[in-house]
């Protein structure tokens, strides 16, 4: 009985107007949650946590660099799950959500690369190193851009979304291989590789709370931005449909 | 008020990039939504001939 | 039945390539223009040239493979042949594999045949030549497979060529690393077996998975 209710409600989510309304209600709460968590995290990261004894204040970059890197990868996993659902059950709202994840994931990959570069300059003395993590992050950025480009290149939005979903699946098989091969390559070619996170596992307890807050904040933000973008895509594609027309009729 | 950091340039630029990208992720969908809604309204006004 | 359809398709593709003449020479022209231009660019020092030779030959093979991708499925889509692949009795996946095989024969085999000569022009040590040829033999089919997937994905778009290279580049990184790693190891007098083994593993993975994805992408594009 309960199972049936859940199932019916889940299927209702596949209907654009229902999804749109849910996203409209949910997104502001997620943005709000992001703002609260980020405020706490940033305050702790910038004011409470003492400077590192080796890296001084530059280690504070960790609090945005690491959550962004995690989210760049977690975002891809989310997109993969959505892509599988979209390809198997052909639910249009899920296709749109999978596509909405790509620009956000690309944004986090970009933050990760940019802040990593800004961290590397004072610590290693160079903006860029052909380190395994850096290189695979750069490749991930290109995969994200490829997905966005492929989706945008189709005139038929649905077809574009499905084809790009196949690319997402191909990418998830490849990302571990790329990471592994690049790691091998750097250890082969460079001898002593600069390790970005040599201190990560030994991070002192007093340094942990801001990292946790920022990670939660970034996850909430991903969800909020995903819903916002998916909502816009629905609105754009369904602009001639009745539900959009009547919605705008009410608000106008 | 603003903490005085060593390596201040690198720290603040990093946080600045983060803030800018997040803000863009927030603002861009809002702008796009407004644009689509304006287009839909205009299209309807053209069809019905009633400009409110 | 399946084998006959596949060999008919391969024979047709080869005949077309030979009759087009100039186009089938493109991979070789590409290989040798890279080989001639590089020493002019970086200087004729034998040590430097020998060090970059594996990478250069591999990049030439990659570019040669990319060149022919745009027209891998497009003419067949335009004249409606592609749809027949799904209508006929032969499974479409087999025809996809046949098409990729003929792409490999046309773009990769000439490069493999002339790679030892090119490598000699770049002073690659002679003992690395067998490994170079072997790495090309194992690695270039992966290029064709991945390239074919990218071609299938971009088939429904009208600005495929730029997208194609963006899609191929990240997927091809591991192949390039292991293949050039094998040749460099052999040139330094070390064993290249680990690299070649990993390259072979990639090939097996690609052969099993990529035709599935390619067929799915083609199918979506002709819907």
């Amino acid at each position: 009985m309960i199972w049936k209710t859940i199932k019916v409600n889940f299927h209702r989510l596949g209907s654009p107007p229902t999804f749109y309304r849910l996203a409209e209600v949910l997104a502001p709460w997620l943005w709000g949650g992001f703002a609260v968590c980020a405020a706490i995290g940033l305050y702790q990261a910038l004011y409470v946590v003492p400077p590192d004894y080796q890296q001084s204040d530059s280690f504070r970059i960790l609090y945005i660099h690491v959550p962004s890197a995690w989210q760049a990868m977690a975002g891809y996993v989310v997109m993969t799950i959505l892509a599988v659902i979209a390809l198997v059950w052909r639910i249009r709202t899920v296709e749109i959500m999978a596509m909405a994840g790509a620009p956000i994931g690309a944004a986090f990959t970009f933050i990760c690369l940019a802040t990593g570069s800004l961290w590397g300059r004072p610590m290693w003395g160079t903006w860029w190193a052909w380190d395994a993590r850096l290189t695979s992050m750069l490749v991930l950025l290109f995969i994200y851009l490829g997905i966005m480009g492929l989706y945008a290149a189709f005139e038929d939005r649905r077809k574009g979304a499905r084809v790009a979903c196949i690319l997402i699946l191909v990418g998830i098989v490849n990302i571990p291989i790329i990471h592994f091969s690049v790691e091998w390559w750097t250890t082969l070619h460079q001898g002593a590789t600069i390790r970005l996170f040599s201190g990560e596992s030994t991070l002192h307890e007093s340094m942990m709370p801001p990292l946790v807050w920022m990670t939660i904040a970034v996850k909430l933000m991903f969800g909020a931005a995903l819903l916002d973008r998916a909502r816009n895509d629905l609105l754009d594609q369904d602009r001639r449909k009745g539900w959009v027309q009547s919605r705008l009729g009410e608000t106008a | 008020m603003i903490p005085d950091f060593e390596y201040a340039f690198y720290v603040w630029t990093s946080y600045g990039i983060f803030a800018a990208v997040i803000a863009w992720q927030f603002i861009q969908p809002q702008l796009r939504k407004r644009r689509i809604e304006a287009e839909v309204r205009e299209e309807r006004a053209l069809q019905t001939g009633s400009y409110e | 039945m399946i084998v006959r359809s596949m060999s008919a398709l391969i024979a047709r593709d080869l005949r077309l390539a030979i009759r087009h003449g100039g186009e089938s020479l493109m991979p070789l022209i590409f290989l040798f223009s890279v080989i001639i231009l590089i020493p002019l660019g970086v200087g004729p020092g034998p040590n430097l040239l020998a060090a970059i030779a594996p990478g250069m030959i591999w990049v030439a093979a990659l570019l040669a493979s990319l060149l022919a991708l745009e027209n891998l499925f497009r003419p067949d889509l335009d004249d409606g042949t592609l749809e027949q692949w799904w209508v006929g009795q032969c499974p479409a996946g087999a025809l996809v594999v046949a098409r990729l095989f003929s792409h490999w024969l046309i773009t990769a085999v000439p490069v493999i045949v002339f790679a030892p000569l090119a490598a000699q022009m770049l002073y690659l040590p002679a003992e690395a030549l067998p490994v170079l040829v072997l790495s090309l033999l194992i690695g270039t089919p992966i290029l064709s497979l991945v390239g074919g997937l990218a071609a299938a994905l971009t088939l429904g778009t009208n600005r495929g060529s730029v997208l194609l290279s963006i899609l191929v580049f990240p997927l091809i990184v591991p192949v390039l690393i292991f293949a050039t790693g094998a040749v460099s190891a052999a040139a330094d007098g070390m064993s290249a077996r680990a690299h070649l083994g990993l390259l072979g593993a990639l090939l097996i993975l690609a052969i099993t998975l990529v035709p599935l994805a390619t067929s799915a992408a083609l199918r979506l594009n002709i819907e």
Side-chain angles (χ1 to χ4, degrees):
Chain A
M1 190 62 205
I2 295 171
W3 174 238
K4 206 184 167 196
T5 327
I6 294 172
K7 212 174 148 191
V8 167
N9 279 316
F10 177 74
H11 281 291
R12 249 181 222 145
L13 275 183
S15 135
T18 320
F19 175 82
Y20 191 92
R21 219 172 308 127
L22 183 83
E24 200 172 32
V25 175
L26 216 55
W29 284 98
L30 290 173
W31 279 114
F34 159 72
V36 172
C37 293
I40 299 171
L42 287 176
Y43 171 74
Q44 287 183 341
L46 292 173
Y47 290 89
V48 179
V49 173
D52 185 71
Y53 78 101
Q54 260 187 332
Q55 303 203 355
S56 178
D57 287 314
S58 78
F59 95 101
R60 290 177 204 275
I61 295 174
L62 176 137
Y63 294 122
I64 49 174
H65 176 78
V66 172
S68 302
W70 284 344
Q71 192 53 49
M73 291 183 274
Y76 201 91
V77 175
V78 171
M79 281 168 63
T80 309
I81 297 168
L82 290 169
V84 170
I85 298 174
L87 285 175
V88 173
W89 286 285
R90 305 196 162 200
I91 308 172
R92 193 162 67 100
T93 49
V94 180
E95 285 166 11
I96 284 174
M97 273 172 79
M99 290 302 107
I104 316 168
F108 279 117
T109 316
F110 170 74
I111 295 178
C112 172
L113 285 168
T115 56
S117 182
L118 281 162
W119 197 2
R121 179 66 207 165
M123 288 302 108
W124 311 337
T126 171
W127 295 104
W128 179 259
W130 288 101
D131 171 76
R133 283 174 197 258
L134 274 113
T135 312
S136 23
M137 226 42 195
L138 188 65
V139 173
L140 180 64
L141 181 64
F142 274 93
I143 294 180
Y144 272 130
L145 293 179
I147 294 167
M148 288 163 66
L150 192 58
Y151 178 48
F154 277 83
E155 251 169 58
D156 179 347
R157 313 302 296 155
R158 278 206 82 170
K159 201 192 261 185
R162 284 216 211 109
V163 171
C165 279
I166 296 179
L167 179 60
I168 294 177
L169 297 190
V170 173
I172 198 83
V173 177
N174 255 276
I175 287 169
I177 300 176
I178 291 168
H179 186 85
F180 160 71
S181 61
V182 171
E183 200 153 299
W184 235 55
W185 165 69
T186 46
T187 46
L188 271 179
H189 285 240
Q190 289 187 354
T193 311
I194 308 156
R195 279 268 163 254
L196 189 52
F197 295 120
S198 52
E200 193 194 27
S201 53
T202 55
L203 200 67
H204 192 264
E205 260 178 53
S206 68
M207 292 176 174
M208 276 307 282
L211 185 60
V212 174
W213 281 112
M214 288 307 287
T215 307
I216 298 172
V218 153
K219 296 231 176 309
L220 292 175
M221 183 266 159
F222 184 85
L226 187 71
L227 289 179
D228 274 358
R229 282 178 184 276
R231 208 150 56 101
N232 277 342
D233 266 9
L234 266 184
L235 201 63
D236 196 9
Q237 291 177 24
D238 283 1
R239 53 172 76 195
R240 300 243 160 67
K241 299 245 172 86
W243 68 271
V244 172
Q245 296 285 339
S246 64
R247 269 193 60 85
L248 289 182
E250 284 160 29
T251 51
Chain B
M1 187 57 208
I2 295 170
D4 191 22
F5 288 148
E6 276 181 61
Y7 307 112
F9 167 74
Y10 301 105
V11 176
W12 290 121
T13 316
S14 295
Y15 278 77
I17 288 173
F18 180 72
V21 173
I22 300 276
W24 176 243
Q25 294 293 322
F26 179 72
I27 294 166
Q28 197 257 340
Q30 316 267 339
L31 293 178
R32 186 165 168 228
K33 182 164 182 266
R34 206 169 295 175
R35 204 181 59 230
I36 297 169
E37 283 178 352
E39 281 169 16
V40 171
R41 287 216 182 84
E42 194 175 348
E43 209 169 280
R44 192 164 43 184
L46 275 174
Q47 279 167 2
T48 58
S50 67
Y51 290 87
E52 287 164 29
Chain C
M1 191 12 230
I2 294 175
V3 176
R4 223 175 49 207
S5 304
M6 285 172 77
S7 49
L9 183 63
I10 294 169
R12 170 197 170 269
D13 287 346
L14 289 183
R15 217 174 301 132
L16 269 180
I18 290 165
R19 296 213 178 134
H20 275 268
E23 266 174 59
S24 53
L25 281 176
M26 274 307 280
L28 279 186
I29 294 168
F30 226 88
L31 174 70
F32 280 100
S33 37
V34 169
I35 300 309
I36 292 163
L37 287 176
I38 291 300
L40 295 177
V42 301
N47 289 336
L48 179 62
L49 285 179
I52 62 170
M56 284 309 126
I57 291 168
W58 257 95
V59 168
L62 174 61
L63 293 176
S65 156
L66 269 178
L67 266 183
L69 280 182
E70 183 137 22
N71 284 328
L72 192 58
F73 297 112
R74 187 148 307 218
D76 288 333
L77 177 75
D78 291 342
D79 66 14
T81 317
L82 204 57
E83 276 173 54
Q84 300 304 315
W85 287 17
W86 270 266
V87 180
Q89 286 181 339
C90 180
L95 293 172
V96 170
V97 172
R99 170 54 55 82
L100 293 175
F101 184 66
S102 52
H103 173 260
W104 178 75
L105 284 178
I106 294 162
T107 62
V109 169
V111 174
I112 298 175
V113 170
F114 283 92
L117 177 64
Q120 286 295 290
M121 289 167 73
L122 293 178
Y123 308 108
L124 191 74
E127 57 267 29
L129 288 183
V131 176
L132 175 70
V133 173
L134 204 54
S135 79
L136 283 167
L137 272 175
I138 305 174
T140 45
I142 310 179
L143 297 185
S144 291
L145 284 162
V146 171
L149 174 64
L153 287 170
T154 55
L155 193 58
T157 68
N158 37 20
R159 46 190 161 132
S161 50
V162 183
L163 258 178
L164 237 155
S165 10
I166 295 180
L167 296 187
V168 168
F169 148 69
L171 301 180
I172 226 68
V173 168
V175 179
L176 209 57
I177 288 174
F178 291 132
T180 53
V183 183
S184 300
D188 294 342
M190 289 185 289
S191 166
R193 289 174 100 174
H195 289 92
L196 290 175
L198 283 165
L199 205 57
L202 285 181
L203 176 62
I204 292 167
L205 189 74
I207 283 182
T208 40
L209 292 182
V210 173
L212 287 177
T214 310
S215 315
L218 284 175
R219 181 116 207 226
L220 276 176
N221 270 313
I222 59 172
E223 253 174 25

